[in-house]
Amino acid sequence: MLITHSVEEAIYLASRIVVVTARPARIKEIIEVPFAYPRDESLQERAEFVELRSRIRQLVMSEYRAQQAQIQPVSLWE
């Protein structure tokens, strides 16, 4: 198991990526990485890599936006 905040690193190293929700941490989606081993850096230039990276980033950012929507602004004047 590898825990990372780098989408590129996750795609490059993993055979499966688990995206979790913000809080509480729950499994949002499990994604099978379709690239064979061994992998080299040229993988990052392939359209399939770019599409997978975009999909994962969208999942992560949707969680970030949901978490930010739950945070109530604190007023210093109350």
Side-chain angles (χ1 to χ4, degrees):
M1 179 187 321
L2 167 73
I3 299 173
T4 183
H5 289 94
S6 169
V7 175
E8 290 82 3
E9 180 179 50
I11 297 170
Y12 188 74
L13 296 175
S15 57
R16 189 176 310 124
I17 296 172
V18 179
V19 178
V20 296
T21 60
R23 288 193 178 118
R26 303 276 190 254
I27 294 174
K28 181 174 181 113
E29 190 167 335
I30 299 174
I31 300 167
E32 298 291 329
V33 178
F35 308 116
Y37 292 102
R39 298 174 184 162
D40 62 45
E41 291 188 29
S42 67
L43 173 66
Q44 296 182 29
E45 299 170 13
R46 292 176 48 187
E48 300 94 331
F49 183 97
V50 173
E51 290 169 13
L52 183 56
R53 181 180 62 201
S54 177
R55 177 178 165 210
I56 295 169
R57 283 184 175 167
Q58 287 174 358
L59 288 169
V60 170
M61 290 310 296
S62 71
E63 282 305 307
Y64 175 76
R65 285 189 297 275
Q67 183 181 22
Q68 292 301 308
Q70 292 177 357
I71 295 174
Q72 300 296 322
V74 177
S75 172
L76 298 175
W77 307 110
E78 291 181 7

